């Protein structure tokens, strides 16, 4: 499931943190915004457990992701966040195999403009090819 969110509201809520570095306070705050909505979706739709693919990314701070998830779960009685290290015990390798098998698109940034900006800044400094934003398909 992917619970929708309001991008304009997100921008207003994160504007003061736009210059925070990746893995900084901006990321933690963003995780909280998104995971509160995920927990709300779970609660409204009768799910007792939720998790996030953010926890699989080596580019994200797992402690921040899990802290945001645990916080979000406290707002909705009967809903639990599944805090797990999805990067261990062969799970990263399994994820990579599924991506290859089904030719899934793997975005090179978290999806937000600040991460896109910072990812390309890092790539430029390293002499790597810049990433392009995901094009919406009709």
């Amino acid at each position: 499931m992917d619970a929708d969110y309001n991008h304009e509201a997100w921008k207003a809520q994160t504007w003061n943190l736009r210059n925070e570095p990746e893995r900084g306070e901006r990321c933690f705050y963003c995780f909280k915004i998104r995971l509160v909505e995920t927990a709300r979706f779970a609660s409204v739709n009768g799910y007792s457990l939720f998790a996030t693919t953010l926890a699989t990314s080596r580019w994200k701070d797992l402690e921040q992701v899990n802290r945001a998830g645990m916080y979000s779960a406290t707002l909705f009685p009967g809903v639990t966040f599944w805090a797990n290290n999805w990067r261990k015990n062969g799970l990263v390798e399994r994820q990579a195999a599924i991506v290859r098998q089904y030719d899934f698109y793997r975005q090179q940034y978290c999806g937000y403009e600040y991460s896109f900006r910072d990812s390309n800044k890092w790539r430029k400094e390293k002499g790597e090819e810049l990433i392009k934003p995901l094009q919406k398909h009709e």
Side-chain angles (χ1 to χ4, degrees):
M1 301 278 170
D2 182 12
D4 288 333
Y5 77 105
N6 179 318
H7 184 70
E8 291 305 314
W10 174 87
K11 280 174 52 174
Q13 292 173 322
T14 60
W15 182 253
N16 290 337
L17 299 170
R18 68 189 177 283
N19 293 318
E20 284 283 313
E22 286 295 304
R23 295 181 166 221
E25 190 62 26
R26 178 188 74 223
C27 290
F28 176 63
Y29 191 73
C30 181
F31 298 156
K32 281 177 40 178
I33 292 170
R34 293 304 310 270
L35 291 175
V36 163
E37 288 306 312
T38 303
R40 180 186 328 278
F41 180 91
S43 178
V44 167
N45 290 284
Y47 296 100
S48 61
L49 189 66
F50 71 100
T52 177
T53 58
L54 288 166
T56 67
S57 174
R58 64 187 173 116
W59 302 107
K60 300 300 173 197
D61 181 328
L62 184 58
E63 188 274 330
Q64 284 182 334
V65 172
N66 286 337
R67 201 164 28 112
M70 300 298 277
Y71 164 79
S72 300
T74 67
L75 302 177
F76 301 91
V79 174
T80 302
F81 177 70
W82 188 2
N84 186 37
N85 189 340
W86 300 99
R87 303 170 193 171
K88 289 191 173 186
N89 302 321
L91 293 174
V92 169
E93 293 80 9
R94 178 70 179 124
Q95 176 191 46
I98 291 170
V99 165
R100 281 190 305 276
Q101 180 180 355
Y102 295 101
D103 195 28
F104 284 137
Y105 169 76
R106 290 192 75 174
Q107 191 162 287
Q108 302 298 307
Y109 65 103
C110 74
Y112 295 108
E113 52 264 41
Y114 311 135
S115 176
F116 177 76
R117 172 200 65 203
D118 295 347
S119 293
N120 271 338
K121 180 181 175 195
W122 181 87
R123 287 171 176 274
K124 187 174 184 178
E125 289 170 358
K126 302 289 183 198
E128 294 188 16
E129 182 179 346
L130 300 183
I131 54 176
K132 295 178 180 75
L134 177 62
Q135 299 293 319
K136 292 190 177 191
H137 299 284
E138 299 294 322

